[in-house]
Amino acid sequence: MIPQKAASVPAPPADDAMARAVGMMQAAHRITTDLMQLRDLDAALDAVVHGALSLGFGVAVMNVVQDDGTVAVTTVAGPDSVRETLLGVREPLALWQRLLDACEDWGALRFMPHDVRIVDEMNEWVVTEGEPIHGLGPWFPDPSRSRIEPWHPEDSLFAPMYDADGALLAVLCVDVPLDGRRPGPLQRQLLELFTSHARVALENVRLHQAAEQSRAQLEREKETFREAFDASPTGMAMTSRRPGLEGRVIRANASLARMLGRTQEELCGGTLTEHVHRADLRGGQPAWADRAVTTTELRYLDAQGTTFWVSQSSITVRDANGTPQYDLVNMMDITASKSREHTLEHDAQHDTLSGVANRRGLHAHLAEPSADESMAIVFCDLNEFKSVNDRWGHARGDAVLVEVARRIDGCVRGRDLVARFGGDEFVVVCRDITLTQAHDLARRIEHAVAAPMTGDLAGLRITTSTGIAFGWPRSVDDAQDLLLQADQRMLSTKTSR
């Protein structure tokens, strides 16, 4: 409150000093007690200014530091004319701080005598007699001045409130002592004590409001999360990390329930592991079970046993002490993209004409771990195939290649690989087989290929030369050596024919 002074309020006749002192102490105690129960800032500020009146003043004004760096008059107790004049007035915080520095120290209070005032926009303080005091350093009044002299209408008494770091929070200004005198020691001490309690009460109110705002914000965030969780088009689940409840589904959204062909109620209380494809479990646990943050691709089974692929991300949420509370799991169905990926991978490793593996697929198969199994490679080359193309044309020759691939594939086991090595050459790779079985397989292939053609190929007859290599490859290089041996033995057989 640094605007011009409001009209003075007439002081009532003096009462008995002791009775007034007791009354002020009782009023201060009562109001302080009430203050501590308040949780609304406006109500607390109003209680402070009215509590100050009970200490023997006719006017009390609360000036509160604002976020924009100003100090605003927020609450006024006293005559309506004073309230209308002062309410809402704002002044720079720096001006207030310099004003308080220029005041006379009355303990925790600050007193500004009527003969020091602001005279211009430069904020210079002058004594009425004229000599300006530049720099706004502390102003020391005449030590002989009586502390019980009459209250001058231009006197000002401030009770500043500071936080724990010494920053100014607010200033309580009181005016018009009811006994018409400058406050004596008892009244000042009561005002100091009341101001101290008021500051604590106001800080409690602010802390309470901040806590309420934080709780409200947290509830809004929780509600936003719940809405996003429930409405997410991808599958969402919250699974417990608490001891004894690890992996249990706490919450599941409708999208996840549809993906798994279950109801949300059926999912809650169970585990996601129950629905993971057995091939993607490791030691009975899903691959993400031991990591705090994961992104992985794996297969799930729905209620009908249908397999589908998901891209799954999981993050562990912890409490303030760092203890894991739950995992937030997000799943996106990628079955379609996996199917396209599988198709592309299949096409890259298979012969577009015959449908069996191509040379790339053959080498990829040879690079797979053998697990100390035996391996036999049968290398096949069609005899006189060039004459088929020359006499019947390439279209008929392609049809012959397709039929030969089909016949060779009909001779092998499900785990064996048939590949078109190139042109009219085919390779069969068999694992966990004996040499005798490999020779039997080569004979079956020769007989199957030599059988008369039918349908559009009727009248054609083709034979094949085979070469066999057998061993226990321990590396990719060993497997490639077997392939080379089988090729050389096939050439030897072909030459001998």
Side-chain angles (χ1 to χ4, degrees):
M1 181 188 66
I2 310 182
Q4 63 182 8
K5 300 275 285 189
S8 60
V9 179
D15 294 323
D16 177 77
M18 182 59 70
R20 288 184 64 251
V22 172
M24 285 190 293
M25 293 177 66
Q26 291 175 336
H29 176 74
R30 182 182 66 255
I31 294 173
T32 298
T33 302
D34 293 342
L35 260 176
M36 294 300 179
Q37 309 304 315
L38 295 176
R39 292 295 179 264
D40 179 76
L41 183 59
D42 291 337
L45 292 172
D46 189 68
V48 170
V49 293
H50 283 87
L53 295 187
S54 68
L55 299 179
F57 297 95
V59 175
V61 180
M62 181 59 75
N63 304 266
V64 179
V65 177
Q66 306 297 306
D67 293 336
D68 62 1
T70 62
V71 181
V73 176
T74 60
T75 319
V76 178
D80 291 342
S81 60
V82 177
R83 186 178 298 104
E84 294 171 0
T85 301
L86 300 180
L87 199 59
V89 171
R90 288 175 179 259
E91 294 289 349
L93 174 60
L95 180 58
W96 264 101
Q97 290 171 330
R98 299 173 77 181
L99 168 62
L100 294 174
D101 287 343
C103 287
E104 179 181 352
D105 288 344
W106 277 11
L109 308 178
R110 297 293 182 271
F111 176 67
M112 176 64 69
H114 64 275
D115 49 2
V116 176
R117 58 188 176 87
I118 298 177
V119 296
D120 57 27
E121 295 180 353
M122 297 301 294
N123 299 330
E124 291 185 337
W125 297 97
V126 301
V127 294
T128 304
E129 288 72 20
E131 189 69 28
I133 303 176
H134 298 281
L136 299 179
W139 179 79
F140 300 97
D142 183 353
S144 64
R145 175 183 290 133
S146 171
R147 291 295 184 267
I148 57 172
E149 64 185 81
W151 180 267
H152 190 281
E154 297 298 326
D155 287 343
S156 298
L157 183 57
F158 308 113
M161 303 178 188
Y162 299 93
D163 65 13
D165 297 323
L168 185 66
L169 297 175
V171 181
L172 173 62
C173 303
V174 291
D175 202 350
V176 191
L178 299 184
D179 62 0
R181 296 177 177 273
R182 291 182 180 177
L186 177 60
Q187 192 174 12
R188 295 202 303 267
Q189 290 173 5
L190 286 174
L191 180 59
E192 281 188 31
L193 181 61
F194 175 75
T195 301
S196 176
H197 290 168
R199 181 191 62 79
V200 173
L202 293 177
E203 282 292 279
N204 287 341
V205 171
R206 288 180 182 273
L207 290 174
H208 175 77
Q209 289 188 335
E212 287 298 317
Q213 291 172 357
S214 296
R215 279 194 289 270
Q217 178 66 22
L218 181 60
E219 284 302 317
R220 288 192 295 269
E221 291 174 354
K222 285 183 178 179
E223 183 59 29
T224 300
F225 170 78
R226 284 192 289 266
E227 291 175 358
F229 182 97
D230 292 336
S232 174
T234 59
M236 299 283 290
M238 291 174 61
T239 59
S240 177
R241 279 271 190 158
R242 295 184 177 180
L245 297 173
E246 293 91 342
R248 296 292 173 182
V249 177
I250 304 170
R251 188 183 184 93
N253 71 352
S255 295
L256 180 59
R258 285 193 297 271
M259 289 171 66
L260 294 173
R262 314 276 180 175
T263 66
Q264 291 168 268
E265 291 75 15
E266 287 174 332
L267 293 177
C268 290
T271 67
L272 295 179
T273 307
E274 300 170 10
H275 311 285
V276 175
H277 194 285
R278 185 165 45 186
D280 291 329
L281 293 176
R282 183 184 60 202
Q285 292 295 320
W288 75 88
D290 58 352
R291 288 177 284 174
V293 180
T294 66
T295 299
T296 187
E297 294 180 355
L298 68 163
R299 287 161 290 182
Y300 274 81
L301 297 173
D302 65 14
Q304 286 71 46
T306 303
T307 300
F308 62 97
W309 280 91
V310 302
S311 174
Q312 177 171 302
S313 59
S314 173
I315 184 169
T316 299
V317 180
R318 303 172 182 272
D319 61 17
N321 298 320
T323 304
Q325 295 298 300
Y326 61 87
D327 287 331
L328 183 60
V329 183
N330 178 275
M331 301 183 198
M332 180 181 295
D333 191 325
I334 58 169
T335 304
S337 63
K338 272 291 182 181
S339 177
R340 289 192 296 271
E341 180 183 319
H342 178 74
T343 299
L344 292 173
E345 183 178 351
H346 179 275
D347 291 347
Q349 296 191 5
H350 286 76
D351 179 44
T352 56
L353 176 64
S354 63
V356 298
N358 57 18
R359 184 176 297 195
R360 180 179 178 180
L362 169 64
H363 289 304
H365 183 74
L366 292 177
E368 294 177 0
S370 64
D372 295 328
E373 293 176 325
S374 62
M375 177 183 288
I377 296 181
V378 181
F379 207 109
C380 309
D381 182 84
L382 303 185
N383 300 315
E384 304 298 334
F385 180 73
K386 184 177 182 299
S387 64
V388 175
N389 283 330
D390 293 344
R391 181 178 180 183
W392 300 94
H394 286 282
R396 186 67 63 88
D398 288 347
V400 170
L401 292 174
V402 171
E403 177 61 17
V404 168
R406 186 189 67 78
R407 292 182 179 189
I408 294 176
D409 193 57
C411 295
V412 302
R413 303 168 302 179
R415 63 177 297 190
D416 299 334
L417 177 79
V418 177
R420 183 185 174 197
F421 194 72
D424 59 350
E425 297 177 327
F426 292 85
V427 172
V428 178
V429 180
C430 305
R431 296 177 189 267
D432 191 21
I433 191 173
T434 66
L435 182 57
T436 300
Q437 291 172 330
H439 281 287
D440 290 343
L441 172 62
R443 284 192 292 272
R444 288 199 305 273
I445 292 174
E446 291 172 355
H447 292 156
V449 172
M453 298 288 179
T454 59
D456 292 341
L457 299 177
L460 286 174
R461 189 179 180 91
I462 199 79
T463 61
T464 183
S465 297
T466 61
I468 301 172
F470 179 83
W472 282 266
R474 297 293 185 268
S475 65
V476 176
D477 290 341
D478 290 346
Q480 293 291 341
D481 286 342
L482 285 179
L483 178 63
L484 180 59
Q485 292 175 31
D487 185 16
Q488 292 172 341
R489 289 169 183 170
M490 178 275 299
L491 289 174
S492 178
T493 300
K494 195 175 184 70
T495 300
S496 68
R497 291 175 64 92

